[in-house]
Amino acid sequence: MQAQRTILNLLAAAVLGLFLWWAEGHLDGYKIQILNLIAVNIILALSLNLIYGFTGMFSLGHAGFMAIGAYVCSVLILDPAQKEMLFILEPAYTWVQQAQAPFFVAVMAGGLAAAFFGVLVGAPLLRLGDDYLGMATLGFAEIVRVLAINLPRVTNGALGFKGIPGHANLWWNYAWCVFTLFFVVRLVASNSGNVFKAIRDDESAAKAMGIDVFRHKLLSFSLGAFFAGVGGALLGSLVATIDPKMFNFVLTFNVLMIVVTGGLGSITGSVVAGVVITILLEWLRVVENPLFIGDWELPGIPGMRMVVFSLALICIILFRREGFMGKREFNWGWLLRSLGNKAGRHGS
Amino acid sequence: MEAEAILTTRNLTMRFGGLTAVSAFNAAIPRGSIVGLIGPNGAGKTTCFNMITGFYQPSEGQVHFKGRDITGTPPHKVCHSGIARTFQNIRLFGNGTVLENVMVGCHVRQATGWWQAVLGLPSSRKEARALMEKSRELLAVVDLGDLADEKAGALPYGAQRRLEIARALATEPAFLLLDEPAAGMNPNETQELMGFVRDIRRRFDLTILLIEHDMKVVMGICEHIWVLDYGVTIAEGCPEAIRANPKVIEAYLGEEAVGHA
Ligand SMILES: Nc1ncnc2c1ncn2[C@@H]1O[C@H](COP(=O)(O)OP(=O)(O)O)[C@@H](O)[C@H]1O
Ligand SMILES: [Mg+2]
């Protein structure tokens, strides 16, 4: 069964590879951009699900970690000549000016920097009760934004970066996405995953079972921060432009929406909702454009799609608390069995 | 008591504001014994457990375990040192399966960590298999072998109590505290439980301290009993002595009268 699963996983990866190869040749830039966003959003959703869905820590700091990942990565992949042109408010520090790294290393550095800040803010904040963690992490994300504005020699202040090299193509994004998926699946399936879920379900009981609750919360939080940083790094390269405004609460909210819709504590849910909601978010841009009904023009309202999505989120929370998947997961055995049943019925 | 004491408490006292929930609790619990802590509702029994297991920092006094002072040690370290407990109001990991609950108990003795698991190292896989096997064995001991993959929160009440004990045993304790294990059970189940407690003591080489609200239940299995009333130890001794003690009878009669009012 173990070997069989490995083969099926490899097959699935091969199918994904073929699809990407096909997409690269046949889809237009806009569709490819959506595919890229799907990969990034899945990474972000998985990282928040690890923190919130599996370990029960209601964190609203994702945009902060993403910003750290995006800035670190961008500084490393921007050309020194480019940086010289970019920093018009104040010249960059020499180490910022000269920092250079290949894309993979830059993304990794973005993730590690975010994880480092995860430990730094997690150490004091995770001792707070759950009611305060949301507030405090929201504050953290806001501080990151304010710092980004006020450290012009590192971040170019409110102007941010433009023309970030677009290394984050389909292949890089999906490689990171698959790696994140692999990592989180392995982690959650391990006994450490059981421990995270135990902390989520009953912290006191977990302590009585000999679990160092604080240490495990910090672990989950900083691993989540790492992947949020990776997602931010990829996003920066993908959209080519970053500035402090981009990393506001809406960014965190989008990720939260994917996680809650998919199901807190369901990896499958995060993946499926990552695909569906990314597409819907793009598709819903329609409601922000003027709409013509006959001769009558309905003016487009900026931010309308967020209203639509917020309403949808409220409905999910009201009517389907556990999200699309609940805590259930996809597995090959289940798929094969249901296919087998169908085949059996057709045969008879 | 002749046998060497595995756990001793000295003047263990817990005050909540003006209320003294436990005052100067002194006990020396011999290794390998089954002993009881009884008393009416609100007498301070659970508070004693919470002080011993590190959930409460005692206002005064000390706890010594295997000759070491463990007063004020955080709960997870207390567990690591070999003390496991159950809760009066069952506290399972409700969303996890029965097996996962026991696996979490095994974690404190686990050598390989999260990154070995992510990398899929052979040492980690081997240990995961061993833990799984150990957990299944423990489930068999508490008669839950067939329910390993059920959701823990969906089990019937009695099964949840047994799962909590299995989970505690998974931490490989030398000393086990059971907080009202017979609560909510019918006389038949209670009888069975008493046999079961004796059985696990022998099998896992345990010392067991159990709280029972119901005095009659403990009389059957405890070798030594402490009686608390309003936080004060009003009596201690063998079951026969406790049964005949007028102070104990009075404390319980008082409660009955309140209970029927
Ligand atoms: N955390 C706490 N804060 C304040 N009072 C408490 C706390 N825990 C227990 N008490 C009080 O201490 C007394 C003893 O409680 P407890 O130990 O639970 O009794 P028992 O387990 O014997 O029924 C009760 O009056 C209870 O209200
Ligand atoms: Mg109690």
Side-chain angles (χ1 to χ4, degrees):
Chain A
M1 191 62 214
Q2 181 64 46
Q4 206 179 352
R5 263 203 305 266
T6 310
I7 292 170
L8 286 167
N9 286 337
L10 289 175
L11 260 173
V15 169
L16 176 68
L18 274 174
F19 170 73
L20 294 179
W21 176 71
W22 173 83
E24 210 175 24
H26 291 80
L27 295 181
D28 59 49
Y30 177 61
K31 292 207 179 84
I32 286 183
Q33 187 72 350
I34 293 181
L35 282 180
N36 279 320
L37 282 175
I38 286 175
V40 172
N41 279 340
I42 290 175
I43 294 171
L44 295 171
L46 288 173
S47 68
L48 184 60
N49 210 344
L50 180 62
I51 296 175
Y52 182 28
F54 286 103
T55 322
M57 298 178 288
F58 185 52
S59 164
L60 295 173
H62 242 54
F65 296 126
M66 289 169 68
I68 293 167
Y71 273 101
V72 168
C73 174
S74 300
V75 161
L76 288 171
I77 59 175
L78 278 165
D79 220 61
Q82 247 180 315
K83 279 184 267 191
E84 197 138 13
M85 305 251 288
L86 268 175
F87 282 83
I88 49 176
L89 295 173
E90 276 175 63
Y93 292 115
T94 332
W95 54 271
V96 173
Q97 174 65 33
Q98 284 170 354
Q100 279 280 277
F103 187 55
F104 175 76
V105 176
V107 174
M108 202 70 188
L112 289 175
F116 172 75
F117 275 88
V119 175
L120 212 65
V121 297
L125 295 189
L126 295 177
R127 295 187 192 275
L128 295 173
D130 288 340
D131 300 337
Y132 302 99
L133 186 64
M135 268 301 182
T137 47
L138 189 62
F140 156 74
E142 210 46 37
I143 289 170
V144 171
R145 249 159 52 76
V146 172
L147 282 179
I149 295 172
N150 290 294
L151 290 174
R153 301 194 67 184
V154 183
T155 63
N156 198 26
L159 298 181
F161 298 150
K162 286 181 190 63
I164 302 164
H167 299 312
N169 57 16
L170 279 178
W171 299 105
W172 274 119
N173 290 330
Y174 277 89
W176 274 106
C177 181
V178 168
F179 171 68
T180 310
L181 187 61
F182 171 85
F183 188 103
V184 175
V185 166
R186 276 268 176 99
L187 181 66
V188 166
S190 76
N191 208 21
S192 296
N194 291 335
V195 168
F196 291 151
K197 290 182 267 183
I199 292 171
R200 171 193 70 194
D201 286 355
D202 193 323
E203 217 174 295
S204 293
K207 282 181 188 157
M209 290 299 108
I211 286 156
D212 188 340
V213 168
F214 173 71
R215 213 184 67 101
H216 279 88
K217 279 184 165 182
L218 194 59
L219 173 65
S220 166
F221 191 72
S222 42
L223 287 176
F226 172 81
F227 286 108
V230 167
L234 296 174
L235 190 65
S237 165
L238 190 61
V239 299
T241 307
I242 59 172
D243 62 49
K245 266 206 311 294
M246 169 180 161
F247 298 97
N248 61 15
F249 179 66
V250 173
L251 208 54
T252 301
F253 182 79
N254 282 348
V255 181
L256 186 65
M257 192 161 60
I258 295 173
V259 173
V260 172
T261 310
L264 289 170
S266 168
I267 294 171
T268 315
S270 284
V271 173
V272 173
V275 175
V276 172
I277 290 189
T278 309
I279 294 174
L280 282 182
L281 271 174
E282 284 306 314
W283 182 67
L284 266 176
R285 281 189 196 279
V286 171
V287 303
E288 295 191 1
N289 295 331
L291 198 66
F292 291 95
I293 304 172
D295 280 342
W296 183 61
E297 184 189 335
L298 192 69
I301 305 166
M304 194 59 198
R305 66 192 177 122
M306 287 326 293
V307 174
V308 172
F309 263 89
S310 303
L311 285 175
L313 187 64
I314 292 171
C315 288
I316 289 166
I317 291 167
L318 285 178
F319 301 114
R320 197 168 163 82
R321 233 8 216 290
E322 70 278 20
F324 166 72
M325 286 295 290
K327 290 189 170 57
R328 284 183 299 273
E329 295 292 1
F330 166 84
N331 70 64
W332 287 113
W334 169 80
L335 182 73
L336 291 180
R337 266 195 307 281
S338 54
L339 285 178
N341 283 346
K342 276 219 184 78
R345 266 203 300 281
H346 281 290
S348 62
Chain B
M1 279 181 265
E2 304 79 39
E4 159 222 7
I6 188 167
L7 186 120
T8 47
T9 65
R10 276 195 216 125
N11 284 324
L12 209 53
T13 300
M14 189 78 223
R15 280 184 287 268
F16 296 111
L19 173 85
T20 305
V22 175
S23 68
F25 179 64
N26 282 294
I29 298 168
R31 192 184 288 269
S33 60
I34 299 180
V35 296
L37 185 57
I38 67 171
N41 250 329
K45 307 181 292 293
T46 300
T47 303
C48 278
F49 267 30
N50 283 334
M51 286 190 286
I52 293 171
T53 53
F55 278 88
Y56 291 163
Q57 176 93 37
S59 311
E60 265 173 58
Q62 293 105 39
V63 183
H64 287 256
F65 179 60
K66 290 180 173 169
R68 258 185 52 225
D69 188 350
I70 58 161
T71 321
T73 309
H76 68 273
K77 289 194 181 149
V78 171
C79 175
H80 190 261
S81 74
I83 299 180
R85 70 173 290 181
T86 64
F87 292 89
Q88 180 173 354
N89 45 342
I90 306 174
R91 305 188 77 143
L92 290 171
F93 307 122
N95 290 308
T97 65
V98 168
L99 184 67
E100 281 166 1
N101 267 267
V102 184
M103 297 276 291
V104 170
C106 294
H107 183 267
V108 68
R109 307 288 170 218
Q110 195 174 338
T112 55
W114 64 273
W115 59 270
Q116 286 106 319
V118 170
L119 291 176
L121 297 187
S123 58
S124 166
R125 287 175 186 221
K126 198 169 147 217
E127 188 172 36
R129 269 196 303 275
L131 291 188
M132 189 93 79
E133 208 160 293
K134 174 184 158 190
S135 302
R136 288 198 184 275
E137 276 165 22
L138 283 170
L139 284 177
V141 169
V142 298
D143 224 359
L144 290 173
D146 300 333
L147 300 175
D149 298 321
E150 297 294 316
K151 205 170 134 171
L155 290 185
Y157 188 79
Q160 291 200 7
R161 283 238 173 261
R162 277 178 289 147
L163 174 55
E164 231 197 352
I165 295 176
R167 191 180 67 173
L169 290 174
T171 67
E172 297 177 11
F175 189 75
L176 181 63
L177 298 111
L178 304 173
D179 199 341
E180 304 205 16
M185 289 189 172
N186 64 36
N188 256 345
E189 288 174 313
T190 306
Q191 202 60 41
E192 240 173 73
L193 178 88
M194 285 156 69
F196 171 71
V197 169
R198 275 201 210 91
D199 185 43
I200 57 170
R201 180 223 344 220
R202 196 167 30 78
R203 205 152 160 174
F204 298 97
D205 198 15
L206 293 171
T207 309
I208 298 175
L209 169 60
L210 58 92
I211 287 181
E212 255 314 321
H213 174 64
D214 182 351
M215 190 164 75
K216 278 164 259 152
V217 176
V218 260
M219 290 301 167
I221 46 171
C222 292
E223 290 140 28
H224 197 90
I225 295 168
W226 285 263
V227 188
L228 290 184
D229 192 20
Y230 294 108
V232 179
T233 313
I234 55 169
E236 82 165 279
C238 63
E240 293 72 37
I242 295 296
R243 193 179 285 132
N245 190 313
K247 274 190 190 161
V248 178
I249 295 167
E250 194 187 334
Y252 271 81
L253 278 179
E255 201 208 15
E256 303 260 285
V258 172
H260 289 290

